[in-house]
Amino acid sequence: MPLAQGRRLQRVAGVRAARWGALALLVRPAYIATEFVVAAATTGGYSFVSDSVSRLGEVGCSAAYCSPRHELMNGSFVGFGALLVGGAVLLSRTLGPWVTGLLVVSGLSSVATGLAPLDQHNTLHAIAATPLFAAQPIALIVLGTRLRSDRPRLAGGLLAAGVLTGTAAVSFVLSGDGPASGAFERLALWPVLVGLALFAWARIHSLRDEPHTLAT
């Protein structure tokens, strides 16, 4: 195979991988809808402000509280975590090694969280979830810094989201079971979904003129 054709093949493969990676990140905000679908079926009362996301994944039921759609919630932790891992790996050339590594850790943390429901494996659940809250804000800040010269507006949004989610994560830990713990947790999670989806959209837009197939 001629050298030029080999490079062309690598370029096309890289573009396709980047598109799939961006698509994986672009669909992840659908996770938010999953929370509402699961919460709508709970009995005994559930608050997005005071109750943690993990309560939606609790397997056991009692007269005081039950989440009959817990399998959907835990499955979403696993599925959307896997999308984060896959998206980060496929976009690694754009993200850089540090952001890629941090997002892979975050995705694996989400997967592990879904495999260890809160009421079944309390300590393991806490250990599994911790890397997610630490790694995601750092990833957004590093990515925002990386994009400052090429995409200043997107970079500014990612940096702001990183600061917001990092502050919210610390507040969530310090609040314990406080009246606003659920709100702090969601402020630590939801902006990451939106921020990475915006990055993915921008990446897809930048790839629109890249080759889809080899030139004949």
Side-chain angles (χ1 to χ4, degrees):
M1 179 186 297
L3 181 59
Q5 186 177 0
R7 289 176 177 172
R8 174 70 174 175
L9 279 170
Q10 290 180 346
R11 180 175 176 80
V12 170
V15 169
R16 289 174 177 169
R19 284 198 178 98
W20 281 110
L23 182 61
L25 298 184
L26 194 60
V27 301
R28 289 185 73 247
Y31 159 84
I32 298 173
T34 305
E35 282 195 28
F36 283 94
V37 170
V38 175
T42 60
T43 59
Y46 181 84
S47 171
F48 278 78
V49 175
S50 59
D51 289 324
S52 71
V53 177
S54 297
R55 287 204 71 200
L56 294 174
E58 290 186 355
V59 175
C61 282
S62 67
Y65 177 78
C66 183
S67 178
R69 295 176 181 169
H70 60 268
E71 291 182 350
L72 176 59
M73 193 71 253
N74 291 324
S76 74
F77 292 151
V78 174
F80 287 104
L83 284 174
L84 182 56
V85 172
V89 171
L90 292 172
L91 285 166
S92 59
R93 293 184 64 181
T94 304
L95 294 171
W98 281 103
V99 177
T100 299
L102 288 166
L103 293 182
V104 167
V105 167
S106 300
L108 293 176
S109 173
S110 177
V111 171
T113 300
L115 297 175
L118 178 64
D119 64 329
Q120 302 295 304
H121 310 281
N122 187 288
T123 301
L124 184 58
H125 182 89
I127 294 172
T130 298
L132 180 73
F133 291 99
Q136 287 193 144
I138 299 173
L140 290 182
I141 291 172
V142 175
L143 181 58
T145 303
R146 181 180 174 86
L147 297 175
R148 275 189 303 180
S149 58
D150 295 331
R151 294 185 175 274
R153 292 180 61 183
L154 176 60
L158 291 170
L159 288 168
V163 173
L164 172 63
T165 55
T167 303
V170 172
S171 300
F172 170 61
V173 172
L174 295 178
S175 67
D177 294 325
S181 60
F184 286 135
E185 184 178 19
R186 287 170 172 87
L187 280 175
L189 297 174
W190 290 3
V192 179
L193 299 165
V194 177
L196 290 178
L198 291 174
F199 163 77
W201 179 256
R203 188 69 185 117
I204 288 175
H205 185 72
S206 68
L207 290 169
R208 70 189 188 283
D209 296 325
E210 295 288 345
H212 292 265
T213 59
L214 290 174
T216 57

